[in-house]
């Protein structure tokens, strides 16, 4: 599987949004600490880290690396489950719930594209 430009754009947007979330948390920590809760920090940093892994796998898959393509499929599926669980069970500030929902939509669109495409061997 090679990643398409659409897949790379979706993942790139996910990475940018997750990094901007960490920046927003840093700003809010000083301006409005109630909006930068410990749960939000942990979630924000985890999402930023996994977004970078997702980008790494997509980049390698685009170069024809079959193992990276498999890893991309796995991480996207796992992240979709994690985002769903977080939205329902983790107390986050409202702004971050919205951000997490947008990330989940980006990953869902990515999943549709990467699981729809036929695998090459």
């Amino acid at each position: 599987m090679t990643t398409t430009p659409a897949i790379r754009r979706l993942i790139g947007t996910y990475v940018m949004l997750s990094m901007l979330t960490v920046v927003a948390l840093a700003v809010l920590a000083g301006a409005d600490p109630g909006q930068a809760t410990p749960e939000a920090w942990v979630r924000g940093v985890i999402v930023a880290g996994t977004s970078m892994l997702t980008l790494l796998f997509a980049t390698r898959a685009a170069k024809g690396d079959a193992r990276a393509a498999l890893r991309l499929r796995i991480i996207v599926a796992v992240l979709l489950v994690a985002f769903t669980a977080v939205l329902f069970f983790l107390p986050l500030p409202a702004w971050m719930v919205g951000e997490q929902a947008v990330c989940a939509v980006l990953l869902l669109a990515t999943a549709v594209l990467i699981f729809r495409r036929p695998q090459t061997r």
Side-chain angles (χ1 to χ4, degrees):
M1 171 190 99
T2 59
T3 57
T4 65
I7 292 168
R8 291 190 298 271
R9 278 193 302 273
L10 287 166
I11 293 171
T13 303
Y14 167 53
V15 170
M16 287 191 323
L17 181 58
S18 68
M19 295 301 168
L20 287 173
T21 298
V22 174
V23 171
L25 285 164
V27 170
L28 287 170
D32 187 2
Q35 294 297 312
T37 63
E39 295 87 2
W41 270 105
V42 169
R43 182 66 187 157
V45 170
I46 288 171
V47 170
T50 58
S51 74
M52 294 303 296
L53 276 178
T54 307
L55 179 62
L56 175 68
F57 297 151
T59 301
R60 289 183 178 171
K63 295 177 182 176
D65 184 337
R67 292 176 63 91
L70 175 62
R71 288 181 184 121
L72 179 61
R73 285 187 171 100
I74 291 168
I75 197 168
V76 167
V78 169
L79 288 173
L80 279 171
V81 171
F83 273 98
T84 303
V86 163
L87 287 172
F88 286 108
F89 301 114
L90 188 65
L92 293 172
W95 71 270
M96 195 163 184
V97 170
E99 179 267 346
Q100 294 287 285
V102 171
C103 285
V105 168
L106 291 167
L107 286 172
L108 179 60
T110 301
V112 167
L113 293 174
I114 64 175
F115 286 103
R116 178 176 62 172
R117 298 184 52 77
Q119 289 183 321
T120 58
R121 293 181 191 235

